[in-house]
C-alpha cells in the first residue's frame, strides 16, 4: 500500500543502528550528529506464523509475507522548526511518512555523546514533540489565513473548514498534539483540509526506548506511552550471529515486536490467500470491505466483485481443508458490505 513509518529522534540515540538491524541495510552510523543527511528507506517483512501453518495445510512451498516500509530520518534538534540542524529538510521528510516511531535514549554510556550532554528521555520526547508542534503551528496559521480569504469570497466550505482548523490551533497553542482533537473525518470538506495540511502531530506515534537492560523497570511515565523496549546494541550484534550462537549466549531479538506494532500503528491488517502455488498475506486498511480488500490483489476483484468465500485461518486449519470448512459451516459466503477481519482467508468470486 506504500505506507511508511518514519524513524525519528535526537542525534545519537540509536536510530540508524536500529534501521540497520531492521533492514540489514548498511547505513552510516558514525558517532556524530547529522551523519544521516538523506533519509534511508528499507522494506521489512512482517512476521506471521499463520503463513507456514496454512502452507502446511495446502501443500505449497512459496510463502509471501506482507511488509512494512521504514524510513530513517536524520536527527532533529531543538530549533529544527526554525531551520536549526537542517531542520526544515528533516521536518519535510517526516511530513511524507504515515506514522512515526521515535527512538528515545534511556541507556547511559559516557563514550557515546548526547546532544544535550545529559541523558533525559522525558526532555528528549518533549523536544521532538515541541518541534513538531511548532512546525504545525506555522502550517495551521497559513491555512487559517487562506480559508478566511476563501470565506470572504463565498466559498461554501471554507467557513466550516476554518472552524475545524481553529480547533486544532487552539489545541496546539495549549500544548496539545493535533491528534488529540476530535475531528469528524466522515465530513468530506473537513477530511480534505486535514489531509491537505498533513500535520506532523496528527500522525500516530510510538516510542522505542533504547535501553541497556531489558529487565530493568521502566519509568511509569514512559511506560504509559505506546512503546517497545529494545537494546539496540544487542540487536546490532545479533546481525552477525547464527541462531545457534545467539541461543548459546542467551541473546534474543525483539525486533519482531517493533515490526508488528509498527504495522498496527499504520492502521493496517492482513487477509490471507492459500493454495497449491503460494500462501500470501495481503495488506489492507482496518475497516476495509471485501471488494476493497480484493483490490489489493487486482482491481478486477473490486470492480467486478460478486461475492467472496471467507473463513478464519484457525477455523480453516481446524477443519483440515477448504471443503471441510464449507461442510462444517465455518466458511461463509459474503457480499460487498462485509468488513474484513484480520486473519480472514479469502477466495474472491468475480
Amino acid at each position: 500500500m506504500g505506507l511508511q513509518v518514519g524513524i525519528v529522534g535526537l542525534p545519537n540515540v540509536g536510530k540508524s543502528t536500529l534501521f540497520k538491524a531492521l533492514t540489514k541495510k548498511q547505513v552510516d552510523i558514525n558517532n556524530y550528529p547529522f551523519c544521516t543527511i538523506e533519509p534511508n528507506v528499507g522494506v521489512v517483512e512482517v512476521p506471521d506464523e499463520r503463513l507456514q501453518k496454512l502452507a502446511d495445510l495446502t501443500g505449497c512451498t512459496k510463502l509471501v509475507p506482507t511488509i512494512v516500509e521504514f524510513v530513517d530520518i536524520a536527527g532533529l534538534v531543538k530549533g529544527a522548526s526554525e531551520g536549526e540542524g537542517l531542520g526544515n529538510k528533516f521536518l519535510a521528510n517526516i511530513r511524507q511518512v504515515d506514522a512515526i516511531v521515535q527512538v528515545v535514549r534511556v541507556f547511559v554510556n559516557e563514550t557515546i555523546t548526547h546532544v544535550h550532554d545529559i541523558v533525559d528521555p522525558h526532555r528528549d520526547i518533549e523536544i521532538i514533540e515541541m518541534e513538531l508542534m511548532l512546525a504545525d503551528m506555522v502550517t495551521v496559521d497559513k491555512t487559517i489565513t487562506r480559508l478566511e480569504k476563501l470565506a470572504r469570497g463565498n466559498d461554501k466550505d471554507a467557513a466550516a473548514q476554518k472552524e475545524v482548523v481553529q480547533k486544532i490551533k487552539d489545541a496546539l497553542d495549549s500544548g496539545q498534539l493535533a491528534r488529540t482533537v476530535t475531528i469528524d473525518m466522515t465530513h468530506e470538506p473537513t477530511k480534505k483540509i486535514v489531509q491537505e495540511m498533513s500535520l506532523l502531530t496528527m500522525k500516530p506515534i510510538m516510542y522505542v526506548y533504547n535501553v541497556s537492560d531489558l529487565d530493568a523497570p521502566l519509568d511509569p511515565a514512559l511506560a504509559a506511552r505506546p512503546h517497545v523496549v529494545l537494546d539496540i546494541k544487542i540487536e546490532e550484534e545479533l546481525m552477525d550471529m547464527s541462531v545457534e550462537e545467539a541461543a548459546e549466549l542467551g541473546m534474543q531479538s525483539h525486533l519482531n515486536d517493533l515490526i508488528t506494532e509498527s504495522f498496527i500503528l499504520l492502521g493496517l491488517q492482513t487477509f490471507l490467500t492459500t493454495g497449491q502455488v503460494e500462501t500470501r498475506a495481503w495488506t489492507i486498511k482496518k475497516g476495509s470491505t471485501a471488494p476493497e480488500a480484493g483490490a489489493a490483489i487486482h482491481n478486477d476483484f473490486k470492480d467486478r466483485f460478486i461475492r467472496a468465500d471467507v473463513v478464519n485461518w484457525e477455523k480453516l486449519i481446524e477443519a483440515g481443508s477448504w471443503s471441510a470448512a464449507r461442510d462444517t459451516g465455518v466458511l461463509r459466503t459474503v457480499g460487498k458490505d462485509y468488513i474484513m477481519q484480520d486473519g480472514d482467508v479469502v477466495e474472491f468470486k468475480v
Side-chain angles (χ1 to χ4, degrees):
M1 296 183 65
L3 299 184
Q4 296 182 325
V5 178
I7 303 175
V8 307
L10 295 176
N12 289 350
V13 296
K15 295 183 295 76
S16 295
T17 305
L18 173 61
F19 181 82
K20 176 183 174 184
L22 273 171
T23 64
K24 309 300 185 288
K25 178 178 179 179
Q26 297 296 321
V27 295
D28 188 359
I29 53 171
N30 292 324
N31 181 29
Y32 57 87
F34 313 123
C35 65
T36 307
I37 303 300
E38 296 296 333
N40 297 288
V41 181
V43 175
V44 179
E45 293 181 355
V46 177
D48 193 339
E49 65 176 10
R50 301 172 297 188
L51 292 174
Q52 187 60 61
K53 292 179 179 180
L54 288 171
D56 292 341
L57 180 70
T58 56
C60 71
T61 57
K62 182 180 179 182
L63 277 63
V64 185
T66 192
I67 60 166
V68 172
E69 192 167 322
F70 287 93
V71 182
D72 178 26
I73 298 171
L76 285 171
V77 295
K78 189 173 183 178
S81 59
E82 298 175 353
E84 292 293 327
L86 302 180
N88 290 333
K89 181 177 179 59
F90 302 156
L91 289 168
N93 294 148
I94 298 173
R95 203 175 299 281
Q96 299 304 311
V97 301
D98 303 281
I100 298 171
V101 164
Q102 181 182 342
V103 181
V104 181
R105 178 173 168 179
V106 179
F107 73 89
V108 176
N109 185 330
E110 294 181 357
T111 66
I112 301 178
T113 59
H114 191 288
V115 71
H116 294 293
D117 297 325
I118 299 173
V119 175
D120 182 344
H122 299 284
R123 176 206 56 212
D124 294 354
I125 290 173
E126 289 175 0
I127 287 173
I128 297 294
E129 286 187 348
M130 180 54 66
E131 293 307 319
L132 299 183
M133 289 169 61
L134 289 170
D136 280 352
M137 287 176 184
V138 174
T139 300
V140 164
D141 285 342
K142 289 180 178 178
T143 302
I144 288 175
T145 299
R146 177 169 61 87
L147 291 174
E148 285 174 343
K149 291 180 180 178
L150 291 173
R152 287 195 295 269
N154 296 320
D155 186 305
K156 63 179 182 179
D157 294 326
Q161 290 175 323
K162 179 181 176 296
E163 287 185 17
V164 173
V165 180
Q166 185 64 52
K167 284 178 62 178
I168 296 172
K169 175 178 169 58
D170 293 343
L172 292 170
D173 288 344
S174 65
Q176 301 296 312
L177 305 181
R179 66 174 175 274
T180 64
V181 179
T182 301
I183 299 173
D184 180 11
M185 294 296 280
T186 63
H187 183 245
E188 282 304 318
T190 296
K191 180 179 179 180
K192 180 181 178 183
I193 197 65
V194 170
Q195 290 179 337
E196 283 179 359
M197 289 190 295
S198 188
L199 297 176
L200 301 174
T201 63
M202 189 67 77
K203 300 179 187 296
I205 188 168
M206 178 173 64
Y207 300 87
V208 171
Y209 298 132
N210 188 6
V211 304
S212 56
D213 182 358
L214 290 170
D215 295 323
L218 196 62
D219 183 307
L222 296 178
R225 297 173 179 268
H227 71 276
V228 172
V229 178
L230 296 176
D231 184 331
I232 294 175
K233 185 61 179 175
I234 285 181
E235 299 295 346
E236 182 184 29
E237 293 173 0
L238 285 169
M239 288 180 59
D240 300 320
M241 293 185 192
S242 66
V243 175
E244 292 75 21
E245 289 172 328
E248 188 175 336
L249 293 171
M251 297 171 68
Q252 180 181 359
S253 175
H254 295 274
L255 287 178
N256 282 352
D257 296 339
L258 173 59
I259 298 168
T260 301
E261 290 300 320
S262 295
F263 188 77
I264 295 171
L265 186 68
L266 287 167
L268 302 176
Q269 66 183 40
T270 54
F271 72 90
L272 307 149
T273 56
T274 189
Q276 294 182 342
V277 177
E278 71 172 22
T279 296
R280 181 185 292 256
W282 301 88
T283 302
I284 55 174
K285 293 288 290 184
K286 288 182 180 178
S288 294
T289 62
E292 289 169 340
I297 301 175
H298 195 283
N299 282 336
D300 280 354
F301 287 159
K302 179 181 180 181
D303 298 337
R304 300 169 56 192
F305 181 91
I306 298 174
R307 64 185 187 279
D309 289 339
V310 178
V311 58
N312 174 268
W313 73 278
E314 287 181 304
K315 297 295 185 181
L316 177 58
I317 291 173
E318 289 173 7
S321 69
W322 195 260
S323 59
R326 186 186 301 279
D327 292 341
T328 56
V330 294
L331 183 149
R332 295 178 295 157
T333 298
V334 301
K336 293 181 178 181
D337 295 333
Y338 176 72
I339 303 299
M340 299 292 294
Q341 303 299 307
D342 188 68
D344 278 346
V345 185
V346 188
E347 185 175 289
F348 292 96
K349 308 293 184 180
V350 294

